Amino acid sequence: MDTPAIVIGAGQAGIAAASALSEYGSRPVVLEAGSDTAGSWPNYYDRLRLFTPAQLNALPGRPFPGDPHRYPTRDEVAAYLRKCAAAIPGEVLTGHRVATVDRSGATFRVHTTTGAEFTAPVVVSATGSFANPYRPELPGLSAYTGEVLHAADYRRPHPFAGRRVVVVGSGNSAVQIAVELAAESPVILAHRSPLRYATNEPIPADSRFWRAISLASRLPIGRFFHSGTIPIVDTEGYRSILEQGNPEARPMFTRAEGPVLHWPDGRSEEVDHVVLATGYRPALTHLSTLCPPDAAGFPPHRNGISTAHPGLAFLGLEYQRNILSGTLHGAGRDSRYLARYLARYS
């Protein structure tokens, strides 16, 4: 099937890309692997709340419904994205998982696992990262015999009630999951680097802090940041809760023996579950031949524009162009930049 542009993924980045391309006269085909047009949002843990307020989680021209000065829930974001997807002028095809992308001359050929083929001079890869959870090598964890799962597999605290849990990580999701679990279980938050907070006090959703972040997101300075620079955004008093000791924050364990974890201070204890809240890497297996990623999993690009293939772009990569590129707000801002560039090829 020939089309002026193909967008791979119908999550927040894919919807933003398709909407922006349509503003430049293109009617893209959006290929979504799943059956939903809310991307990965329905698959996150039940009580997830965004770490940015509603006013900073809207696509261009589509305000987020309700009070702009609140932190929306997982389900609110999913519902919002479904409405945005329904308004895309192009075609959204669910159940079309992209297997590979190759190129012949100035045309990209996109092949799906169902055997379908789509061709276009423009391709935007907007597949996010939820499908590629990052599981780092941790000291001695290979010898641990308890359950190890990633935050991508975590949904709710009830199955862990009364069980001893270690959450690994030092970012927003790690803290939110650890605090949630601690209401029903003894929890340790194990971190490889010290916990850092964006502010000294909890941040209200109507804080001037977010105005400053919004202004900063207009600058193309994303390449100067990396995932390790993200501080904890204390939206619900997490710092105070951690200082009370449950969950207990500790430096990373040093080794494991069966179900027992050993800590730098000499303590050891039996642990039932280890939850890796260690982030994600871009899900780009469909491009592994066309443009192999670097050691960190990122494709060769500058501000989201492929440096290897004209007409190919990426959207939704963390820090790809601005400090909020991995969020709805940032993807929306980046999408218009990419659409202007890609208009010359479609």
Side-chain angles (χ1 to χ4, degrees):
M1 175 180 176
D2 293 323
T3 180
I6 297 168
V7 176
I8 305 173
Q12 62 188 39
I15 294 168
S19 298
L21 287 168
S22 69
E23 292 179 4
Y24 283 82
S26 178
R27 293 184 62 84
V29 169
V30 183
L31 302 177
E32 167 57 35
S35 59
D36 199 350
T37 54
S40 59
W41 284 98
N43 300 313
Y44 287 116
Y45 51 97
D46 293 353
R47 297 183 188 175
L48 170 66
R49 280 191 178 274
L50 271 67
F51 310 112
T52 49
Q55 61 183 321
L56 278 184
N57 284 284
L59 296 177
R62 300 193 180 280
F64 202 97
D67 181 2
H69 302 306
R70 77 184 196 286
Y71 295 108
T73 65
R74 176 199 70 177
D75 293 343
E76 286 179 309
V77 177
Y80 169 74
L81 288 175
R82 292 185 188 108
K83 289 182 179 180
C84 291
I88 294 174
E91 190 173 13
V92 180
L93 302 177
T94 58
H96 282 68
R97 182 178 298 277
V98 173
T100 60
V101 180
D102 57 37
R103 185 170 186 166
S104 177
T107 301
F108 292 99
R109 295 181 302 202
V110 177
H111 309 270
T112 73
T113 55
T114 60
E117 179 179 305
F118 300 81
T119 58
V122 167
V123 169
V124 179
S125 182
T127 47
S129 59
F130 185 78
N132 189 22
Y134 177 55
R135 295 178 169 86
E137 293 290 333
L138 296 176
L141 194 59
S142 60
Y144 174 66
T145 57
E147 183 189 35
V148 180
L149 66 155
H150 193 275
D153 306 309
Y154 171 78
R155 293 295 178 272
R156 58 193 65 88
H158 311 310
F160 302 88
R163 313 280 284 175
R164 191 164 189 84
V165 184
V166 169
V167 177
V168 174
S170 57
N172 292 293
S173 292
V175 170
Q176 193 173 84
I177 290 172
V179 168
E180 177 178 280
L181 282 167
E184 301 190 22
S185 309
V187 176
I188 296 171
L189 177 63
H191 50 85
R192 290 184 292 179
S193 55
L195 301 181
R196 297 183 303 109
Y197 297 86
T199 59
N200 292 326
E201 300 292 336
I203 307 173
D206 60 354
S207 169
R208 292 182 180 178
F209 172 86
W210 295 118
R211 173 63 176 166
I213 293 296
S214 178
L215 291 172
S217 72
R218 300 179 184 182
L219 304 174
I221 56 176
R223 65 184 181 276
F224 299 113
F225 294 80
H226 57 84
S227 59
T229 64
I230 303 175
I232 297 165
V233 179
D234 190 355
T235 58
E236 297 186 44
Y238 298 129
R239 185 173 194 166
S240 176
I241 294 171
L242 283 165
E243 288 175 349
Q244 293 173 30
N246 189 31
E248 178 188 358
R250 293 187 194 175
M252 186 62 61
F253 50 83
T254 55
R255 61 190 176 91
E257 290 179 312
V260 177
L261 296 182
H262 298 267
W263 304 88
D265 60 6
R267 283 182 287 180
S268 60
E269 54 220 331
E270 188 170 325
V271 172
D272 299 298
H273 309 276
V274 173
V275 180
L276 302 175
T278 46
Y280 302 83
R281 295 293 183 268
L284 296 170
T285 55
H286 56 287
L287 293 172
S288 58
T289 299
L290 187 68
C291 51
D294 61 21
F298 286 80
H301 76 96
R302 184 171 180 83
N303 293 329
I305 297 170
S306 171
T307 56
H309 298 281
L312 174 64
F314 307 90
L315 191 64
L317 298 175
E318 190 174 71
Y319 293 128
Q320 77 167 44
R321 186 167 182 267
N322 70 73
I323 61 173
L324 293 179
S325 284
T327 70
L328 268 163
H329 178 84
R333 188 176 294 280
D334 289 350
S335 68
R336 287 179 161 172
Y337 169 80
L338 294 181
R340 280 197 305 273
Y341 164 78
L342 293 172
R344 72 187 72 174
Y345 296 104
S346 58

